[in-house]
Amino acid sequence: MTTSGAFRERLFGAWVEIRENLGRSILQALGVLLGVASVLGGFSISDSQRKRADQMFVKMGGLDKLNIQPKAAVRDGQPTALQQANLGLRDADAIGGEALKADAIQGVSRQKNARSRVVSAYGDQDRQISGIGGDFIPANGYAVAQGRGFSATEMDTGAPVVILGTEAAQTFFPKGDAVGQTLRIGAIPVTVIGAFEERVFRFREGQRNQFWWRNRIIAVPANLVQRRMNGDAYRRVDRVSFRIPDMAVMGAFAKQLSDLVKANHRLQEDFRLDDVAARIRRRNSQGDVYDIIFMLSGVLALVGGGIVNVNIQMAGLKERVREVGVKMALGASGREIFKGFMTEALLLTALGSLAGLVLGIGFSWIITKSLGIPLYMTPASFVWAYGLAAAFGFLFALYPAWKASRLSPMEALRYE
Amino acid sequence: MSTIIQTEGLTKVYGANGAAVHALRGIDLTVGKGEFVALIGPSGSGKSTLMAILGCLDLPSTGTYTLDGHQVQGLSGGELARIRNEKVGFVFQSYNLLPKASIVRNVELPMLYAGVGRRERRERAMALLEKVGIADKADKLPGTLSGGQKQRVAVARALANEPALLLADEPTGALDSKTGAEVLDLFRELHRQGNTLLLVTHDPSIAAQAERRVEIRDGLIALTEGVA
């Protein structure tokens, strides 16, 4: 049969049938079209949102960070009594941690924060001071726009130098000539040696800058905070970050680090480990929920469309009983009739799906545009949308086609 | 002379037990190759049932039927379809052309089911249309043709797979007497060329055109006249 181009003939016949019954065919294709559009649209919107979030994390300085912070005092500099007794998170933890996997760790940064009065000729505010060490600046997505960064000597000695975020620079030196000026942090005069680039990230267009608070940074060497502002004899720190680009190493390292720090802290878990990648995974799995909801709504549309299709096809079959009878009299087997009806239904599904894909693209474009996020579509969404439509199209075509193939040729011929 | 149709004790019962209708009550019929037989009888006589069984559209309840050397009783739906396709050419009263397919496609259809290649299909269909004298209408739709022309297309289609048996069910029933006569002329011509024809009709004047008349009454062969 296949050698005679029977498939092509069936396809042609199906096309003629669809064209001749345009109204009915459009109705039939509509369910598929909406289903495909809703699956594709839903997936694309959730993909776009996710992509945007990934971009945000990249801008935050990458996904490859493992942070360790004191448990009870994550934001505030004051160690608890327990932490006092257990010595707390300190330089030794950072150094010990780095030694564990020296080859995999690309950078370690420390943070020692303080709150202090900050005074310039133009401003006088109580501000957070970030004492930074190691490769904090690149690891957190900062870049020096004017002046220079800290030198190794300045870091080591805790020199009285400061780099300001754009908001801080604007607040304390509104004339825009911050670099080279002097600022007083508490009682210590520090020299402004640089200014950071402005950090901007808007999740959607027109939304407020989600990184605005990063521009408030007043960065000094961690050693300056430890030695002259908020330090103690144990050289406690507020946060240590390890940068590990190899995600496979991350998990094992986190475990080892946890064990090491716990041993250092007299077996007290007075610290909190978190890796950014785990947060991403959590967020992604949240996205999965939306994917399932979108897929479900698409599937429901396809099922609804499928049931409508069965109805239309059964009604259409009544008009075509005689045609089936004639074909059977001419030698078409039930199988051949079945194939003919299936071809018709599947061709209709294919055409409806194509239209649905186009509609889905338009739909996603409009939604993402109105949300103000860039449209991002993955081939997987297309495959899912098309695959689901094909599967349901096939499933719902089976019954009418089977029904047609089971007609008795004689009764079908006599049918009026 | 080899036989095309041979039936023995053919019966057909519709329904069950109490409400059973005995449409055929034991038909013994033999039709030889190249014969032109008319099957006559009033409506309700069982001639339509007999025609359906002879055309392999239906199976007998009991009895045997051999068509061109093939046992028909007991065949599956698929096998019956194959026999219909290869051995039987149907011509119906209401033409039964597919309205959405062109004339030439209608004629090609039986060859499509037989697995004949595209090119050969087209060539043979055109030759057949030539034979019945409407090759110029090949690309038209059936709706644009007159009744006589439609019946010619149906004849061409029936001949597509060179069937052993040409089965015509009231082929002139829907035509006026002039075109009806033309179609009968066509049948006589086909008979002259060696085709085996079975013509089902209730009209004695049409049946008179055949070599042999077989009359069915109450599910039995009532009378046979002409050369056997």
Side-chain angles (χ1 to χ4, degrees), chain A residues 170 178 311 325 346 371:
Chain A
Q170 181 64 27
N311 269 317
L346 290 179
L371 285 177

Side-chain angles (χ1 to χ4, degrees), chain B residues 11-17 19-24 49 59-62:
Chain B
T11 71
K12 182 70 184 179
V13 184
Y14 291 110
N17 301 331
V21 175
H22 294 264
L24 297 179
T49 306
L59 287 170
S61 300
T62 60

Side-chain angles (χ1 to χ4, degrees), chain A residues 319-365:
Chain A
E319 293 167 18
R320 296 173 63 185
V321 166
R322 207 180 169 93
E323 172 197 328
V324 171
V326 172
K327 285 182 173 172
M328 283 179 156
L330 297 180
S333 56
R335 210 186 154 92
E336 185 68 34
I337 299 291
F338 180 81
K339 283 184 192 166
F341 273 78
M342 286 306 280
T343 307
E344 215 174 286
L346 290 179
L347 180 63
L348 207 56
T349 302
L351 293 175
S353 303
L354 276 180
L357 291 180
V358 173
L359 185 71
I361 294 170
F363 178 56
S364 326
W365 185 80

Side-chain angles (χ1 to χ4, degrees), chain A residues 1 3-4 6 8-9 12 16-17 20-21 322-323 326-333 336 409-410 413-414, chain B residues 14 48-49 52 57-58 81 84-85 90 92 94 96 98 100 105 109-110 112-118 121 157:
Chain A
M1 272 274 159
T3 51
S4 61
R8 190 160 52 170
E9 286 299 321
F12 180 81
V16 169
E17 196 59 43
E20 290 287 319
N21 301 291
R322 207 180 169 93
E323 172 197 328
V326 172
K327 285 182 173 172
M328 283 179 156
L330 297 180
S333 56
E336 185 68 34
M410 196 179 58
L413 268 175
R414 286 188 186 156
Chain B
Y14 291 110
S48 296
T49 306
L57 290 168
D58 207 351
R84 280 199 298 274
N85 183 240
F90 287 98
F92 300 99
S94 51
N96 278 342
L98 297 187
K100 290 162 199 160
R105 275 190 177 275
L109 211 55
L112 175 70
Y113 298 138
V116 177
R118 215 169 116 80
R121 226 159 50 209
R157 184 178 67 179

